[in-house]
Amino acid sequence: MDEIFGIPAPLLFGQLLLGLINGAFYAMLSLGLAVIFGLLNIINFTHGAQFMMGAFVAWMLLAWAGVGYWGALILAPLIVGATGVVIERLMISRLYKLDHLYGLLLTFGIGLIVEGVFRNYFGSSGLPYRIPDALQGAWDLGFMFLPIYRGWVVVFSLVICLATWLVIEKTRLGAYLRAATENAPLVQAFGVNVPRMITLTYGAGVALAALAGVLAAPIYSVNPQMGTNLIIIVFAVVVIGGMGSILGSVLTGFGLGVVEGMTKVFWPEASSTVIFVIMAIVLLTRPAGLFGRA
Amino acid sequence: MNLNRRSLFAAGTAAAAIAPLSRARAQANTIRIGVMNDQSGPYRDIGGPNGVTMAQIAAQEFGNRGFTVEVIGADHQNKPDVGANLARQWFDQGVDMVLDVPTSSVGLAVNQVAREKNKVYINVGAATADLTGPQCSPVTAHWVYDTYMLAKSTGGAMVRAGGKKWFFITADYAFGHALERDTSNFVRAAGGTVAGAVRYPFPATTDFSSFLLQAQASRAEVIGLCNAGQDTINSIKQAAEFGLTRRGVKIAALLMFIADVHALGLEQGQGLVMTESFYWDLNDRTRAFSRRVQPRLNNRQMPNMVTAGNYSATLHFLKAVADMGVPAAKASGVEIMNRMKAMPVEDEAFGQGTLRQDGRMMIPSYLWEVKKPSESTGPWDYLKLLQTTPADEAWRPLSEGGCPLVRS
């Protein structure tokens, strides 16, 4: 059998693919963060909790309303996005004139509260959620056994990332968004309702997190801590990619997923640390991030 | 009665002077139990708030036999430093016994503090068999399970069923290491081999597919999961997802609780074997006990071996205190523990048991198989008994533990 660095080649290919799959989650989550930070200048620490809410809403839809995976894929982001809109209107909107730190503290606090409420109500060990029938099974790729669902996650999140990027870079709405990021009063002077746009952007960013949550529900157990474990890594991804850079966060998400996957083969004990080591190096050499503008 | 301001003032002063006195007297006649566990993290459902409630239930059922009992609870966040500081603070504030303390790294840290302060420490939630081995202490008891017993029961059964070549996926801290070590010993002793192991960072890992694929590449017949709680659930789910189980690779969930089965669902869990020293549906006494306590537990969980163990340990501790009297009990944790070892353990949850010299509670261990969905009559009807290991065979022999107390 062919070997690369003492690891059988098929195993290595398998790990690359797994890295991409995990990267898909990093990319989708960091995308939402980047969109929110780009327009609102808020570092949304509630993101992990909103990812978790997405998974829980999918579970609730199934258990309480009989709505399956495909319905949840549309409904859960809408429902969680709507809660995001409420949070933005009621609380976050009061902080735009203050320092970043206040937004960070507020969203961090909201995240803790949401997580605590879910933990109190549902316990910590999680709830089962089935892979939808259409995506059951696996492909035998020769070098590995790829569950169809995981393949679906990668493809679907690539499509979502691409679509988000297109909307922001290539449409009129995206142009308004980018313009408002640069100079909100001027855009408002042209008759664009900037506060409403900001609210909806936050809602959309939250909906992206929830969508990732629905995607994650069948793979991980649906539990209140599922966001906490992921969100710290995702923040590192955003910092490495460059705060506010859409394309940067997507590419970095997938890239770091692969790096992490490789670490799991060569030095598994370090797999949770490697991303932070990279973050430290990037911050020292390119403080604005790999794709950020200084 | 003629009440004027002066007499009111005098009465107030007198009351203020008496209050601390009576409080001090109440303190002297109150036994305080501190339940320390994971209230907010991955192991919350194994013990958590329910662990505190079960100790409270035991205290209430024990009643007032000349002294009052107060049960308090706290979260150690799975951090050894937090746990050790909390224990120190509790003992300094007059807590007489620390109970539960899951997460082996924290369990071992608290063990040091209890020994130094000469206070009773009953560990229920942590797995490491070192608590009654090299780290054993004259104030410490280990109540319902340990890594040796799990390895012997679950690991032994898997090897007997023909799983000779093992690969371990291990949480990288004291518990995972101890469980991997004890299981490897049984595998090798039975003529099996260990093809490899990965140690993953705890608690920051959610995706186990990479490790599962490494296990598969090693061509192991059995994947031993040396982890607990959510990590175990995720590992099992993902092993099924990647087709390992369908290709005949067996999963040995070396530590699994009924709460985990509840979370996993029978469809994914069916056929797994696991070891617990308590199951609510074991016999008439456990059924009566569980039905009585279940309405008081969070999320209407059924008691598992850890929460039931908190009940059992609290009860036995209080019996020993009542037997020797509060002043003597307050004076020395070693003396209480000696009294506990001299008295037979008897309660509804575990039946009869004895507390061995090294602090090991001797009760039978049970090997269970997770039922098929068709075999279950509803929530919590999850396990069927495969095998009972009697108390004198379930645990590591006294001579092999390396406990310094035994030599003396």
Side-chain angles (χ1 to χ4, degrees):
Chain A
M1 196 186 288
D2 288 340
E3 292 197 352
I4 302 167
F5 303 125
I7 305 281
L11 180 59
L12 210 59
F13 289 133
Q15 300 294 347
L16 268 173
L17 201 58
L18 289 178
L20 274 182
I21 296 167
N22 286 333
F25 285 108
Y26 298 158
M28 279 192 73
L29 285 171
S30 56
L31 181 66
L33 277 179
V35 169
I36 291 172
F37 182 77
L39 195 69
L40 282 74
N41 263 333
I42 289 278
I43 304 170
N44 184 31
F45 258 91
T46 322
H47 220 66
Q50 282 150 344
F51 165 77
M52 176 270 286
M53 281 167 80
F56 265 98
V57 170
W59 179 85
M60 290 173 197
L61 284 170
L62 185 66
W64 299 346
V67 178
Y69 178 82
W70 303 107
L73 216 46
I74 297 163
L75 283 177
L78 285 179
I79 294 168
V80 181
T83 66
V85 166
V86 172
I87 289 172
E88 198 278 341
R89 275 293 85 203
L90 290 182
M91 291 181 259
I92 298 175
S93 59
R94 295 166 196 273
L95 300 178
Y96 290 136
K97 292 194 176 66
L98 300 172
D99 191 80
H100 284 336
L101 202 57
Y102 290 90
L104 188 151
L105 286 175
L106 174 72
T107 51
F108 186 61
I110 296 173
L112 287 181
I113 292 169
V114 169
E115 233 179 80
V117 168
F118 274 83
R119 190 183 306 127
N120 210 37
Y121 205 75
F122 293 99
S124 70
S125 48
L127 304 159
Y129 194 89
R130 261 176 65 87
I131 293 176
D133 286 333
L135 300 173
Q136 290 275 357
W139 290 305
D140 199 341
L141 302 182
F143 61 89
M144 78 174 285
F145 207 59
L146 178 69
I148 294 173
Y149 188 79
R150 299 260 177 162
W152 153 255
V153 166
V154 174
V155 174
F156 186 73
S157 63
L158 268 176
V159 169
I160 292 289
C161 290
L162 197 68
T164 312
W165 181 77
L166 281 176
V167 166
I168 289 173
E169 297 293 330
K170 303 290 174 204
T171 64
R172 179 167 290 267
L173 178 69
Y176 287 154
L177 275 174
R178 279 176 291 133
T181 313
E182 296 290 331
N183 192 337
L186 194 66
V187 177
Q188 198 149 15
F190 282 119
V192 176
N193 187 344
V194 172
R196 192 178 69 192
M197 199 160 74
I198 287 180
T199 305
L200 292 178
T201 306
Y202 185 76
V206 171
L208 274 174
L211 186 61
V214 180
L215 284 180
I219 302 185
Y220 308 121
S221 74
V222 178
N223 70 65
Q225 296 94 267
M226 64 191 290
T228 325
N229 293 332
L230 217 51
I231 202 65
I232 303 175
I233 295 177
V234 171
F235 271 101
V237 170
V238 174
V239 171
I240 295 169
M243 277 286 195
S245 160
I246 308 281
L247 201 60
S249 59
V250 173
L251 290 177
T252 322
F254 279 100
L256 287 180
V258 171
V259 170
E260 193 192 46
M262 289 294 107
T263 318
K264 282 179 175 170
V265 183
F266 292 105
W267 192 12
E269 289 90 336
S271 58
S272 64
T273 338
V274 64
I275 285 180
F276 301 100
V277 174
I278 297 176
M279 182 177 87
I281 295 170
V282 168
L283 282 178
L284 285 173
T285 52
R286 283 188 64 116
L290 292 179
F291 299 86
R293 282 165 297 171
Chain B
M1 190 179 153
N2 190 5
L3 252 171
N4 59 29
R5 269 164 67 183
R6 179 176 295 228
S7 61
L8 246 177
F9 181 75
T13 315
I18 291 165
L21 257 175
S22 60
R23 203 181 306 141
R25 200 173 300 136
Q27 194 93 32
N29 207 25
T30 298
I31 290 292
R32 302 183 76 199
I33 296 172
V35 184
M36 188 197 298
N37 56 27
D38 178 3
Q39 304 260 332
S40 56
Y43 299 156
R44 183 182 191 264
D45 277 4
I46 297 164
N50 287 342
V52 182
T53 308
M54 291 294 278
Q56 277 162 347
I57 292 174
Q60 279 164 13
E61 292 183 359
F62 181 78
N64 190 337
R65 302 193 197 168
F67 59 93
T68 51
V69 183
E70 188 187 337
V71 177
I72 52 175
D75 186 2
H76 64 36
Q77 301 165 33
N78 297 319
K79 292 176 184 154
D81 54 328
V82 174
N85 283 335
L86 194 60
R88 200 174 295 277
Q89 193 186 331
W90 269 356
F91 289 139
D92 289 345
Q93 290 168 353
V95 167
D96 301 287
M97 186 261 272
V98 168
L99 180 68
D100 203 355
V101 201
T103 317
S104 294
S105 47
V106 191
L108 289 168
V110 172
N111 189 37
Q112 300 292 338
V113 180
R115 177 179 209 150
E116 178 195 317
K117 299 278 183 186
N118 190 13
K119 294 286 182 189
V120 173
Y121 169 44
I122 306 181
N123 189 299
V124 181
T128 178
D130 288 1
L131 278 169
T132 54
Q135 307 264 344
C136 78
S137 126
V139 292
T140 301
H142 199 188
W143 215 254
V144 292
Y145 80 109
D146 67 21
T147 49
Y148 182 95
M149 159 267 210
L150 296 171
K152 180 165 187 176
S153 178
T154 310
M158 301 292 287
V159 180
R160 276 197 303 281
K164 294 282 185 201
K165 194 172 175 189
W166 286 58
F167 188 97
F168 290 102
I169 296 179
T170 303
D172 192 13
Y173 75 106
F175 151 65
H177 299 175
L179 190 51
E180 184 190 322
R181 173 199 68 203
D182 289 346
T183 312
S184 302
N185 288 342
F186 276 105
V187 169
R188 292 204 185 94
T193 54
V194 176
V198 279
R199 292 181 169 180
Y200 69 84
F202 171 85
T205 305
T206 45
D207 189 57
F208 293 86
S209 47
S210 164
F211 310 125
L212 290 164
L213 246 61
Q214 292 181 45
Q216 195 181 18
S218 77
R219 306 199 182 282
E221 296 157 343
V222 181
I223 299 177
L225 300 178
C226 297
N227 53 18
Q230 268 164 38
D231 289 2
T232 308
I233 296 169
N234 276 332
S235 307
I236 294 170
K237 273 183 105 165
Q238 290 164 16
E241 195 196 343
F242 280 83
L244 266 66
T245 6
R246 226 173 323 136
R247 288 178 172 188
V249 179
K250 293 211 164 56
I251 301 292
L254 292 161
L255 175 53
M256 212 169 155
F257 297 93
I258 191 168
D260 300 328
V261 179
H262 188 63
L264 188 62
L266 288 183
E267 197 179 330
Q268 300 229 33
Q270 57 181 310
L272 284 169
V273 294
M274 56 186 264
T275 299
E276 277 208 76
S277 54
F278 171 86
Y279 177 51
W280 68 272
D281 202 10
L282 179 66
N283 58 42
D284 288 340
R285 292 185 85 190
T286 56
R287 276 187 286 274
F289 165 74
S290 304
R291 296 232 164 83
R292 188 175 77 234
V293 299
Q294 192 200 13
R296 293 185 56 180
L297 299 184
N298 247 358
N299 306 327
R300 287 187 67 83
Q301 286 254 353
M302 269 294 179
N304 61 23
M305 64 174 164
V306 171
T307 49
N310 279 358
Y311 171 90
S312 161
T314 303
L315 216 51
H316 189 64
F317 168 78
L318 291 175
K319 283 177 192 164
V321 171
D323 195 45
M324 64 198 291
V326 173
K330 290 254 176 208
S332 163
V334 177
E335 285 312 309
I336 307 180
M337 189 51 75
N338 286 341
R339 189 66 63 107
M340 286 170 67
K341 286 173 184 170
M343 296 166 64
V345 181
E346 186 357 90
D347 56 63
E348 278 172 294
F350 295 91
Q352 280 158 354
T354 50
L355 203 50
R356 200 167 63 178
Q357 199 185 349
D358 57 356
R360 177 70 260 159
M361 156 86 139
M362 307 293 284
I363 42 174
S365 79
Y366 304 101
L367 185 71
W368 308 93
E369 186 181 309
V370 178
K371 287 184 174 176
K372 295 189 185 73
S374 59
E375 294 170 319
S376 166
T377 56
W380 303 108
D381 180 23
Y382 295 148
L383 306 179
K384 56 186 179 199
L385 184 63
L386 289 183
Q387 188 193 322
T388 304
T389 312
D392 54 342
E393 291 169 27
W395 311 93
R396 183 177 55 204
L398 196 57
S399 55
E400 290 174 19
C403 166
L405 292 176
V406 175
R407 269 180 241 129
S408 62

